[in-house]
Amino acid sequence: MKGSDIIFPTIVEMFLKDGIKILGEEEEYVVQKFLEQAYVEQPCNEAVVYALIKLYNAKQAFEDAREVGQAFLMMDGYNKEILGELSATFLSLNEMDTYFSLVKQHLDKESQLDDLETSGVEEASNVIPFPKKIKPRRSIANFLEWGTAEQLEFLQQARFHDVEPYLEPFAAFLEDATTSPFVKSMIFELLQEKKVDAAFLVKKVGMEEQVNPSKIPLLTSDPFIEELIESLTRRWEHKNPSFLEQLLVIVQQHLFIMYPFRFPSEHIDLWSEAYSKWLSQMYGEIWRDNAEINHEELMEATQFIERMEQVQQNYLL
């Protein structure tokens, strides 16, 4: 750990283990003040930086999370756990290109250290060969065992190459229920982009199904998703714009986390009601259910949202 060692209070440890939902309003205030003060005193302490970014992400304060994360990376190097938590930050800000650049810098630095340890000084050359194929630092057959930062950087490069040689390790990753749901979504988007016409067993967020990338709509052009976003926008854009902004960020995060899976039903009014109710109650507001929405279906939809949020808050890349 860089910086002085620090012992977190029990309430901070509880937040790191179980997420922000276990905190009351006063407890959340205490956790934030403690972490922000600790950050002022130890801005290069990896545990403090990670915890503060995680808190800001949970509070939807993504610009603050980005500022803390980038400051740490510029001042003190790289940390895989911090990079992992920042992935949720940059995804929410729609700045994944910047995130991939940070990951690439991290991997380049690791590679340079490896080169210093394993090779001597070579003659300088003015010729920089253009790589025609991806040359991962480890065998692609062991993709399942790579760190998430290396997996994401590889997937970004793979967009410019034939993915046929990588289908077998990708398939093994997709069918392992313990691997990162975020990386699985990135893999599936790549398979769609490459128009791969084959069935893959996908296990993630408690769901399991054989899915063919060429047979389902792209996440960015799914008519159901477009309708849901339009419904939420009509409902809240004039009544409470800031609430709508947070709501859309949460919905988009959940959609990406579960991708290529979909909501259990495609009842637009149901999901509009469920997400609106869930976030309102998170703020402690009293909610009156729409009498036109089936009560049992609304409860099931709300429970599904809570499950996706739990995955979003707790998974480590």
Side-chain angles (χ1 to χ4, degrees), residues 250-264:
I250 292 169
V251 170
Q252 289 165 352
Q253 288 178 340
H254 291 181
L255 288 167
F256 194 80
I257 280 289
M258 74 175 79
Y259 189 66
F261 297 120
R262 302 160 68 86
F263 289 121

Side-chain angles (χ1 to χ4, degrees), residues 16-34:
L16 291 172
K17 179 181 178 182
D18 298 319
I20 199 169
K21 292 174 66 175
I22 67 162
L23 304 179
E25 186 174 344
E26 292 185 4
E27 292 172 324
E28 183 181 315
Y29 176 82
V30 169
V31 170
Q32 181 168 343
K33 287 302 177 184
F34 175 87

Side-chain angles (χ1 to χ4, degrees), residues 17-261:
K17 179 181 178 182
D18 298 319
I20 199 169
K21 292 174 66 175
I22 67 162
L23 304 179
E25 186 174 344
E26 292 185 4
E27 292 172 324
E28 183 181 315
Y29 176 82
V30 169
V31 170
Q32 181 168 343
K33 287 302 177 184
F34 175 87
L35 291 176
E36 288 178 339
Q37 183 59 40
Y39 177 69
V40 170
E41 296 172 357
Q42 301 184 41
C44 292
N45 187 300
E46 294 174 344
V48 171
V49 171
Y50 170 78
L52 187 55
I53 293 172
K54 187 177 180 69
L55 178 68
Y56 283 151
N57 279 343
K59 291 170 63 67
Q60 312 288 322
F62 300 116
E63 289 82 2
D64 292 335
R66 175 180 58 190
E67 182 179 348
V68 170
Q70 287 186 320
F72 172 81
L73 297 176
M74 291 176 65
M75 288 189 302
D76 208 53
Y78 298 89
N79 174 282
K80 290 183 178 179
E81 286 72 27
I82 290 173
L83 276 172
E85 188 62 32
L86 281 173
S87 67
T89 305
F90 285 98
L91 174 63
S92 299
L93 293 171
N94 195 28
E95 296 178 0
M96 288 306 292
D97 287 345
T98 302
Y99 177 73
F100 282 122
S101 296
L102 294 172
V103 170
K104 187 176 187 304
Q105 291 173 28
H106 168 58
L107 294 173
D108 287 346
K109 183 173 182 179
E110 281 192 343
S111 181
Q112 290 170 10
L113 292 174
D114 290 344
D115 290 342
L116 287 174
E117 294 174 356
T118 60
S119 64
V121 178
E122 298 179 356
E123 277 189 30
S125 171
N126 292 325
V127 179
I128 301 176
F130 183 81
K132 295 183 179 181
K133 294 184 179 180
I134 301 174
K135 294 182 179 180
R137 292 185 292 120
R138 289 187 285 167
S139 170
I140 183 62
N142 298 323
F143 183 82
L144 193 71
E145 302 169 5
W146 294 3
T148 300
E150 189 173 357
Q151 290 168 342
L152 291 173
E153 199 269 343
F154 179 84
L155 291 172
Q156 184 72 350
Q157 292 184 15
R159 295 182 180 278
F160 304 102
H161 300 273
D162 177 19
V163 298
E164 184 67 29
Y166 316 131
L167 295 184
E168 186 173 340
F170 285 172
F173 190 91
L174 290 170
E175 69 180 37
D176 188 325
T178 66
T179 53
S180 166
F182 180 84
V183 176
K184 285 176 177 172
S185 297
M186 299 296 295
I187 289 175
F188 208 83
E189 281 198 329
L190 174 61
L191 297 176
Q192 282 192 310
E193 182 179 324
K194 293 297 183 179
K195 296 180 171 57
V196 175
D197 186 6
F200 293 85
L201 177 60
V202 183
K203 298 179 181 180
K204 65 187 305 191
V205 296
M207 295 184 277
E208 176 180 340
E209 189 177 335
Q210 290 276 354
V211 188
N212 187 325
S214 68
K215 305 298 183 185
I216 66 171
L218 295 170
L219 189 58
T220 55
S221 58
D222 188 326
F224 166 73
I225 295 172
E226 293 175 356
E227 285 188 51
L228 176 58
I229 291 175
E230 288 176 4
S231 174
L232 291 168
T233 301
R234 287 193 304 269
R235 184 169 188 167
W236 296 105
E237 63 178 338
H238 299 302
K239 186 177 180 180
N240 194 334
S242 61
F243 180 85
L244 172 63
E245 183 178 353
Q246 294 180 46
L247 198 56
L248 293 181
V249 167
I250 292 169
V251 170
Q252 289 165 352
Q253 288 178 340
H254 291 181
L255 288 167
F256 194 80
I257 280 289
M258 74 175 79
Y259 189 66
F261 297 120

